[in-house]
Amino acid sequence: MKKFKTNRIIIYTISCSFLLFKLSMLNAQNPVIMDQFTADPTARVFDNRVYLYPSHDVYCNINWFCMKDYHVFSTENLVDWTDHGMIINQEDVEWVNAKTNSMWAPDCYEKNGKYYFYFPAIADTSKGLFGMRIGVAVSDNPYGPFTPDPMPIEGISGIDPNIFEDINGEVYIYWAGRGKLMGAKLKDNMRELQSEPVIIDTLPQGGGLKEGPFLFERKGVYYFTYPWVIDKTEALVYCMGDNPLGPFEYKGIIMDEHASGCWTNHHSVINFKGQWYLFYHNNDLSPDFDKNRSARADSLFFNADGTIQKVVPTLRGIGVTKATSKIQVDRYSYISSEGASVEFLDTTNTFDGWKTVLSEKGASISYNAVDFGNNKTKKVNMRVKAISNCIINLQTGGSNNELSIPLSNNWEVVQLKVNDIPKGIHNINLTLKTAGEIQIDWIQFE
Ligand code: FUB
């Protein structure tokens, strides 16, 4: 490590080989999970933690979905996610045709101390089963191990299971089958239908595919939500009603079609510690192939009349980020329209994430809700590549700092003194004060 002084700052440059070490910690904004693809995210709150049950896209060199297994993730702060590992593999399920890589969108629900994991897959015809069926696996814990039932649920053909428990304890299952959205009551054993499936038939007509139903209740109102191809790709829409199986009245769009062109979206809604959140997906880590998707989350708000405010997808996502973590400012809450952009660090390995490029005097980027804890902060570390000598203005919590960053041809971690940053939660703003270009991977305070 080299160390040199300027009149205002101390700069450390740390050798690049050290920086090649890759942390496998799951700590992210949007997408929520950065080390694998995660689609169709069903979030559930169990014991004050958020559990995420996504499907698991992998790349199989076919122009379609390829999904062989499921992982479960959890967090207590919406920022640091633990991957509990694989919970079900297609090879583990007797009724599944394990050659089909068809483990599509799942759900998980707790009832009487047992966790029921619902998942669709193409059934094994040698068992006398056909098409997409929905199975159940059971565990004593939200993170498994799960034991799959030998046969799928009788009476359901389709995909995208979703479970809802009413306040009276009655449990419903919803799914998408034969182009329709369906619902039925489940028996207490959570594995058999108690009522005949009904088509949820009060939905608007026209447009294209409807799938991925997700029902939740708030203040006695039942929200029936689903992805719907209104125009070219899936938007997330919702209806409101007085009963779990409808009729429902269509109310509008929760989230518009993705600008990325990702054909699917698939979502879930939770209330965690008093705030509502929408989990959904986009193809952030695979911009050229929309069957490799990534889970995201943003806050969701209601109007006084119970209708839902449209959610505009953000990169910043949710949660308060610790100042001492490597803050990915490219997951910004604001970016200037001129001279600031976000690019992959390595286009051949998108899982490495992104960098911020500031290339014009006055270009800026902001990242909100950073927790500086209970002590004054006096230093910042930045992983940067300065294409020219430049000065960056770092503003946070009333601390205003002009930071000189020397030209470097490689990525370097520079450590700079800052005027005391007060304790508490602040936004960070970085502005390029000089002509030239600087690339920023992350910044971290100490
Ligand atoms: O992930 C495969 C399928 O894509 C899901 O089952 C649908 O909801 C859509 O997201």
Side-chain angles (χ1 to χ4, degrees), residues 349-362:
N349 179 14
T350 57
F351 292 107
D352 272 357
W354 294 266
K355 61 185 176 187
T356 301
V357 180
L358 300 179
S359 57
E360 233 175 72
K361 188 175 173 182

Side-chain angles (χ1 to χ4, degrees), residues 39-40 55 57 65 67 103-105 120 159-160 211-212 227 234 264-266 281 293:
D40 307 321
S55 45
D57 289 338
F65 301 110
M67 300 148 100
M103 311 292 274
W104 285 16
I159 60 171
D160 297 352
E211 56 179 354
E234 289 181 338
T264 61
N265 198 348
H266 186 114
H281 71 221
R293 300 153 298 172

Side-chain angles (χ1 to χ4, degrees), residues 15 37 57 106 108-109 126 177 184 194 217 279 291 297 325 377 420:
S15 81
F37 299 119
D57 289 338
C108 188
Y109 201 82
S126 74
Q194 183 176 312
E217 181 268 346
F279 283 74
K291 307 296 180 291
S325 67
T377 300
D420 288 358

Side-chain angles (χ1 to χ4, degrees), residues 5-228:
K5 278 189 179 183
T6 71
N7 52 349
R8 304 197 51 209
I9 52 173
I10 302 170
I11 299 175
Y12 296 82
T13 59
I14 300 174
S15 81
C16 280
S17 56
F18 173 72
L19 295 171
L20 289 176
F21 173 72
K22 186 170 176 284
L23 291 174
S24 60
M25 204 168 64
L26 300 176
N27 163 323
Q29 296 83 53
N30 279 332
V32 167
I33 306 297
M34 280 294 296
D35 69 347
Q36 58 198 282
F37 299 119
T38 47
D40 307 321
T42 300
R44 293 287 180 192
V45 180
F46 300 131
D47 296 330
N48 249 352
R49 279 183 86 80
V50 176
Y51 285 83
L52 189 63
Y53 299 90
S55 45
H56 184 193
D57 289 338
V58 289
Y59 185 69
C60 286
N61 209 15
I62 53 168
N63 195 21
W64 190 237
F65 301 110
C66 184
M67 300 148 100
K68 300 166 190 269
D69 60 20
Y70 298 101
H71 283 227
V72 58
F73 305 83
S74 76
T75 181
E76 60 177 2
N77 62 8
L78 302 172
V79 175
D80 303 306
W81 290 86
T82 303
D83 180 354
H84 297 275
M86 191 182 70
I87 50 169
I88 301 265
N89 187 297
Q90 59 188 354
E91 308 280 347
D92 304 335
V93 191
E94 273 181 58
W95 62 266
V96 168
N97 178 341
K99 293 196 180 89
T100 56
N101 303 326
S102 58
M103 311 292 274
W104 285 16
D107 193 1
C108 188
Y109 201 82
E110 184 270 331
K111 181 83 174 164
N112 300 328
K114 296 273 183 206
Y115 295 82
Y116 296 87
F117 181 74
Y118 295 81
F119 58 97
I122 296 178
D124 183 351
T125 48
S126 74
K127 301 262 180 321
L129 303 168
F130 299 93
M132 275 283 198
R133 300 294 300 268
I134 290 172
V136 191
V138 187
S139 175
D140 292 329
N141 299 297
Y143 46 83
F146 284 91
T147 307
D149 283 359
M151 291 295 270
I153 300 177
E154 190 72 40
I156 297 183
S157 293
I159 60 171
D160 297 352
N162 164 240
I163 303 297
F164 169 73
E165 182 175 6
D166 206 354
I167 19 184
N168 61 9
E170 288 186 332
V171 180
Y172 295 80
I173 183 165
Y174 302 86
W175 69 97
R178 300 198 182 96
K180 305 276 182 210
L181 299 182
M182 313 287 296
K185 262 188 203 170
L186 269 185
K187 288 188 181 169
D188 278 350
N189 66 15
M190 302 291 278
R191 298 156 144 126
E192 285 176 283
L193 296 188
Q194 183 176 312
S195 67
E196 280 301 307
V198 295
I199 296 171
I200 310 291
D201 62 359
T202 51
L203 310 178
Q205 301 305 305
L209 186 67
K210 297 181 178 87
E211 56 179 354
F214 187 90
L215 192 126
F216 67 96
E217 181 268 346
R218 177 181 176 269
K219 296 188 177 176
V221 175
Y222 300 88
Y223 291 80
F224 187 74
T225 68
Y226 56 97
W228 179 27

